[in-house]
Amino acid sequence: MHALDVLGDPVRRRILELLAEGERPAGAVTSVIRDEFGISQPAVSQHLRVLRESGFTTVRPQGARRLYAVAPARFEEADAWLAHFRRFWNQRLDALETELARERHRKKP
């Protein structure tokens, strides 16, 4: 599965946001996702499985718990693909920076 196909799902993106803060047990991830998206525990588990099998997360057992963490390699793949398009938004950001600098200059007494 292409990295952007995995990242296209809002539930999976939210799971990755949670894991970006640090390693978490599957139960803690499930609790947050169920509350925010109103989906069942099996549905959250399916999303965790997709993330694990696609290489976006790692999982390690700790007793009866499973601890999930972000795996950076697939993000590098997505970033490499996006690099082809970065020039489009970099030009706009540069233009925005210029306009903000002009506005700051105009406001100086």
Side-chain angles (χ1 to χ4, degrees), residues 31-84:
S31 178
V32 171
I33 297 300
R34 274 193 337 218
D35 290 346
E36 291 183 8
F37 290 90
I39 63 176
S40 67
Q41 181 275 328
V44 177
S45 293
Q46 178 68 21
H47 284 290
L48 286 168
R49 184 175 71 93
V50 168
L51 290 169
R52 184 181 68 248
E53 289 179 355
S54 64
F56 278 97
T57 63
T58 60
V59 63
R60 70 178 179 88
Q62 185 183 58
R65 299 184 327 162
R66 299 291 175 256
L67 300 174
Y68 281 81
V70 168
R74 286 303 300 270
F75 289 98
E76 293 166 3
E77 176 188 330
D79 185 56
W81 187 85
L82 288 169
H84 299 289

